[in-house]
Amino acid sequence: MSTFNIEESKARLDKQVEELRAKQAAGLVLPTKSHEERQAEILARDNITDLSAALGPVMEVLERASKDIQQDADKFRKLLSEHKEVIKCEMCEAPLKAHWERTFYESRMANKLIVVWDQCEPCDAKIKASLVNEKWRDMGIPEKLLGCTLENFKCETEEQTIAFGKAQAQVAHGRGFLILRGKVGTGKTHLAVGVMKQIGSGIFVTEADLIAELRETYAKNSGQETMVAKYRKPKVMVLDELSAEVKGVDIPALLYRILGSRYNDNLLTVITSNEELEVITSLLGARVVDRMRESLRIGTLEGESYRKRK
């Protein structure tokens, strides 16, 4: 019969403690949980059990409600399928379809079939397009250019492809200057309007109209600052048809006031012209060109006119 040796038992216990501490320090075992931590876990498990028990009746109510809704939906769908009334669009006389979600809501609330008719999709699309076009008209885009976007610009030549890429890059950049130059009818203004639409807001003006607007303020002897401010702040300004044919000693100063301010405010300006690049730079003036250099892209379109091909 072996005898109990206190010293040997204590030595074995101390060794086990050292081994456990070594494993714990090496991350091989988790620290022993305290009594308080174990009690907290037990309480949490009890709470979860209690919560599940409490949610049971709620879940039953929700399931019954879901079944009721499905039954009502089946009932009103059947009634709607048997409904013979035909309502036509006031604009185009096309038969309208029932708007199911609204019909179901109104019918369930009234406990009888109430048909809510949907909008005529083609006419609704036309109305929405008209409202969008009105927005662009208010920004100065001419009627014949309202349909122009970057998406529907046709790249039929290498030059058009390069110019299109520069327009996209300027949109991504969100500021600076884009000059689109080349022959009449090659898509310069289409690209410029596309850039403006891609940004989402702006102002469109031809150089001739811009100068005419300035000179109207001469006749009134007032309003010049308001007129200039109108072109300084929009996210995009399209200055269309910059031309040597528009003459006046006041042009360079006006362009500098507007374009210089837009440069300072990191705004985007698109200029179109049929002139050679040397003529364009002389029309803009040395001060404007100097401001433009660091954020300028130039797209050249010299192909055959779209209008001639049509």
Side-chain angles (χ1 to χ4, degrees):
M1 183 175 179
S2 61
T3 58
F4 178 72
N5 190 314
I6 295 177
E7 294 300 327
E8 289 179 2
S9 297
K10 185 176 182 302
R12 284 197 300 270
L13 183 60
D14 289 342
K15 185 178 180 181
Q16 290 174 354
V17 169
E18 288 176 6
E19 290 175 352
L20 183 61
R21 285 177 176 170
K23 289 180 179 180
Q24 185 175 314
L28 300 177
V29 294
L30 294 174
T32 303
K33 293 179 180 178
S34 66
H35 174 72
E36 289 77 10
E37 288 172 326
R38 288 197 297 272
Q39 288 297 108
E41 286 183 356
I42 293 169
L43 180 61
R45 284 197 297 270
D46 291 343
N47 286 342
I48 291 171
T49 303
D50 293 343
L51 182 61
S52 298
L55 285 177
V58 176
M59 295 302 295
E60 290 178 5
V61 171
L62 292 176
E63 287 174 3
R64 286 199 301 270
S66 178
K67 288 178 181 178
D68 290 343
I69 291 172
Q70 187 59 53
Q71 289 174 355
D72 286 345
D74 293 340
K75 177 179 72 174
F76 289 121
R77 280 188 190 278
K78 184 175 184 297
L79 290 173
L80 184 60
S81 69
E82 297 169 350
H83 190 71
K84 302 301 182 183
E85 183 181 10
V86 176
I87 301 294
K88 293 184 177 181
C89 172
E90 294 180 358
M91 296 175 64
C92 70
E93 293 295 313
L96 300 179
K97 296 179 181 179
H99 190 294
W100 166 244
E101 287 79 8
R102 292 169 61 193
T103 293
F104 175 62
Y105 175 78
E106 296 293 341
S107 300
R108 196 158 190 265
M109 293 293 291
N111 199 27
K112 64 179 181 178
L113 181 65
I114 297 178
V115 182
V116 180
W117 301 99
D118 209 343
Q119 299 291 329
C120 174
E121 290 184 7
C123 293
D124 194 42
K126 288 179 182 177
I127 291 170
K128 288 178 180 177
S130 177
L131 293 174
V132 171
N133 285 339
E134 192 61 34
K135 163 189 168 182
W136 298 124
R137 287 189 194 97
D138 290 343
M139 295 180 192
I141 296 178
E143 196 72 25
K144 65 180 181 179
L145 300 172
L146 288 175
C148 295
T149 65
L150 290 183
E151 287 78 9
N152 62 24
F153 181 80
K154 295 180 180 179
C155 296
E156 298 178 349
T157 68
E158 184 179 356
E159 287 180 336
Q160 288 172 338
T161 302
I162 293 171
F164 178 75
K166 291 183 177 181
Q168 287 184 310
Q170 206 70 31
V171 168
H173 194 51
R175 63 184 183 87
F177 295 85
L178 173 65
I179 293 177
L180 299 169
R181 58 157 304 277
K183 295 179 181 178
V184 174
T186 51
K188 302 182 301 295
T189 305
H190 184 141
L191 269 182
V193 170
V195 168
M196 182 169 156
K197 285 189 173 182
Q198 197 73 20
I199 296 297
S201 66
I203 193 165
F204 179 103
V205 66
T206 64
E207 184 196 18
D209 287 342
L210 181 69
I211 300 306
E213 191 175 345
L214 173 69
R215 290 172 184 167
E216 282 183 13
T217 65
Y218 296 164
K220 297 175 184 177
N221 198 29
S222 66
Q224 290 180 27
E225 291 303 318
T226 302
M227 175 261 164
V228 170
K230 181 171 76 172
Y231 296 99
R232 281 176 165 170
K233 297 302 179 185
K235 289 183 179 179
V236 182
M237 176 185 176
V238 174
L239 178 60
D240 195 39
E241 298 180 1
L242 184 70
S243 173
E245 295 180 6
V246 181
K247 301 183 184 297
V249 295
D250 50 356
I251 295 176
L254 174 65
L255 294 180
Y256 179 75
R257 290 181 67 191
I258 294 173
L259 302 184
S261 175
R262 295 184 62 79
Y263 165 83
N264 291 336
D265 291 337
N266 287 322
L267 298 172
L268 177 54
T269 306
V270 185
I271 300 170
T272 75
S273 179
N274 304 330
E275 306 287 357
E276 296 293 333
L277 189 57
E278 293 78 7
V279 177
I280 294 172
T281 55
S282 67
L283 292 173
L284 291 172
R287 290 192 298 172
V288 171
V289 172
D290 186 59
R291 293 284 185 94
M292 293 168 61
R293 290 185 193 281
E294 69 180 55
S295 57
L296 171 65
R297 287 182 172 88
I298 301 170
T300 299
L301 300 98
E302 294 286 11
E304 185 182 355
S305 169
Y306 280 148
R307 291 189 281 275
K308 285 183 180 179
R309 290 199 296 275
K310 291 178 182 178

